[in-house]
Amino acid sequence: MTTIDLAWGAGPSARYDTLAARFRPIFARIRDGAITRDLERRLPFDELSWLKDSGFTTLRLPVESGGFGASLPELFALLIELSEADTNVTNALRSHFGFTEDVLNSRFEEQRARWLPRIAERETVGSGFSESGDSKLAAFSTTLVRQGDHWRLNGRKYYTSGSLFADWINLGAVDGDGNPVSALVPTRAAGVAIVDDWDGFGQSLTASGTATFADVLLPDAYVNPSPERFRYSTAFFQLVHLATLAGLGRAAATDVARLVGERKRVYSHGNADRIADDPQILQIVGRVRGAAYAAGAIALKAAEAVQRAYEARQAGDEEAETAAVAVADLEVNQAVTVITTLILEATTTLFDALGASAAKRGTGLDRHWRNARTIASHNPRVYRDRIVGDYAVNGTPPPGQYRVGQP
């Protein structure tokens, strides 16, 4: 069935359902095992392999480079559908799709020539930018120092989402002079250790734990030519979270509707002989579904702004690009509080439909609440509201592009 048939609205392009049809059977397989994986704390190695084999990780590559030439709205629509299956899997691929944007937007031909074929060959990239401990804001304790004809990497990273499943880790460090630098590190290189020690109550299968690097040797080819990331990176990475929440909302709506339909026991103070006929329970189900619908529509509208920033970059119009990036940041920031509020309220309200039964882990409803709360905690909403408010009142543009060494 298409997104139109399911009343989630039309896809972002005329060809969207044709593109999505290739991946929907895989999404269904991923969703079928999601609750069991969560209960058993089984990491989704197989599920990510299915997506790699299908070419999902090459979505943004041009067709001539071995990909599907998907637009950013098409990518985010597919991430919503994947998140409906399992938000852990989406989060594990967030850094990979971000690195793909880095390569597509790079002005260095050698970087594009080196990494586009690797992505086309289904190699994937995890995250290695965040650090814990006493490191100052916008600084790294991880070092990448030139020694002879190679570089030596030492340090420790946390929140390394996706790296345990990936072939490479894209990380930030400082060089011998204290300047920011980034590099791609093979996950199987000598001196690299990745540990699944993430103990958060939600998103527990993203392997967002610790990676350590002990005298890892890297050639020049693995060091990025510039510390700058693609200019719409701030909007892009936040929009992945919003698409994830929208997909989670769809899953929550589907699950609560199914469980209400299956339930035999009624409330003693209810309004019908069947809970499925109780108008107040049906109102809750409808409210959850409406929140998911609105979240998806808002996320895809913001994706159009990010696409415009990408197109301005490809056109080589720096002034237009600067303006488009600022607008994309503002549109995504405006969407953050609305989408997170919608989904947090929806994944709380749904418990009113089933009472204590909804708290059983086997239903999956508790999983939706835990994951929604965890995803919404990334980059607190109050800061996003402040950025938008400062623009509306004072005309202050949003912060600049993400650079290695910036928060």
Side-chain angles (χ1 to χ4, degrees):
M1 299 179 73
T2 68
T3 53
I4 293 176
D5 296 329
L6 295 170
W8 295 125
S13 66
R15 71 155 188 169
Y16 177 73
D17 281 308
T18 300
L19 177 64
R22 179 186 182 94
F23 306 109
R24 284 173 176 158
I26 302 172
F27 296 163
R29 289 177 67 193
I30 292 172
R31 179 168 171 76
D32 286 345
I35 293 176
T36 300
R37 283 193 301 279
D38 190 63
L39 292 172
E40 297 176 354
R41 207 180 190 286
R42 177 169 58 81
L43 296 173
F45 283 98
D46 290 341
E47 290 72 17
L48 284 158
S49 293
W50 301 340
L51 290 170
K52 290 182 186 181
D53 292 344
S54 72
F56 188 79
T57 55
T58 72
L59 275 167
R60 284 283 289 151
L61 297 192
V63 173
E64 59 271 22
S65 297
F68 292 88
S71 68
L72 285 165
E74 288 172 336
L75 171 66
F76 283 108
L78 286 166
L79 291 181
I80 290 173
E81 294 199 35
L82 174 59
S83 300
E84 185 177 1
D86 190 342
T87 57
N88 290 289
V89 178
T90 305
N91 201 49
L93 290 173
R94 179 171 175 258
S95 293
H96 171 79
F97 284 117
F99 177 72
T100 300
E101 296 301 310
D102 274 330
V103 177
L104 291 174
N105 285 277
S106 177
R107 300 209 187 280
F108 298 91
E109 180 59 37
E110 65 273 18
Q111 188 183 29
R112 294 194 299 275
R114 180 175 296 117
W115 295 107
L116 284 176
R118 290 185 180 275
I119 297 171
E121 289 297 319
R122 315 299 201 253
E123 294 184 21
T124 56
V125 179
S127 176
F129 285 93
S130 297
E131 296 184 356
S132 59
D134 297 328
S135 294
K136 295 181 180 179
L137 190 65
F140 292 120
S141 61
T142 301
T143 59
L144 184 63
V145 179
R146 184 64 182 248
Q147 292 189 350
D149 61 353
H150 61 265
W151 298 74
R152 187 178 298 273
L153 174 68
N154 283 282
R156 183 183 185 90
K157 297 291 185 177
Y158 197 52
Y159 299 122
T160 56
S161 300
S163 293
L164 191 61
F165 312 110
D167 302 289
W168 302 85
I169 301 175
N170 187 23
L171 58 72
V174 291
D175 64 16
D177 297 320
N179 298 314
V181 62
S182 68
L184 276 293
V185 183
T187 55
R188 294 169 183 81
V192 177
I194 306 171
V195 181
D196 175 29
D197 58 354
W198 165 244
D199 62 355
F201 64 76
Q203 292 295 102
S204 60
L205 304 182
T206 58
S208 299
T210 302
T212 57
F213 309 92
D215 291 325
V216 180
L217 300 182
L218 299 177
D220 285 339
Y222 295 172
V223 178
N224 291 328
S226 171
E228 294 186 354
R229 304 207 68 178
F230 59 105
R231 292 188 65 186
Y232 52 89
S233 57
T234 300
F236 179 93
F237 283 116
Q238 186 62 38
L239 190 53
V240 175
H241 288 319
L242 298 185
T244 305
L245 285 169
L248 186 155
R250 290 185 186 181
T254 299
D255 286 345
V256 72
R258 172 179 55 80
L259 291 168
V260 165
E262 293 173 353
R263 183 171 173 139
K264 304 300 182 184
R265 185 168 61 87
V266 298
Y267 293 110
S268 58
H269 49 281
N271 301 297
D273 294 332
R274 293 175 64 244
I275 192 171
D277 294 326
D278 188 319
Q280 287 184 287
I281 301 300
L282 295 178
Q283 181 181 13
I284 292 170
V285 175
R287 187 182 304 168
V288 173
R289 188 176 175 87
Y293 175 84
I298 294 168
L300 291 182
K301 191 64 179 176
E304 294 177 7
V306 182
Q307 176 70 21
R308 290 193 294 272
Y310 168 76
E311 290 173 355
R313 173 76 167 189
Q314 299 306 304
D317 186 335
E318 187 171 350
E319 184 177 350
E321 181 188 3
T322 298
V325 168
V327 169
D329 282 345
L330 288 166
E331 289 203 31
V332 171
N333 284 328
Q334 287 170 172
V336 169
T337 293
V338 178
I339 291 178
T340 54
T341 299
L342 283 169
I343 302 304
L344 286 173
E345 290 182 352
T347 54
T348 299
T349 300
L350 60 79
F351 287 92
D352 291 333
L354 295 164
S357 299
K360 295 177 64 177
R361 293 195 67 194
T363 65
L365 298 186
D366 67 308
R367 172 173 165 268
H368 297 320
W369 181 88
R370 288 184 284 109
N371 289 343
R373 180 68 270 176
T374 302
I375 297 165
S377 298
H378 288 79
N379 300 315
R381 292 171 284 173
V382 63
Y383 295 118
R384 304 292 173 167
D385 290 339
R386 185 262 302 163
I387 290 169
V388 174
D390 197 10
Y391 170 79
V393 174
N394 301 311
T396 306
Q401 71 185 96
Y402 181 89
R403 286 174 56 93
V404 174
Q406 286 186 331

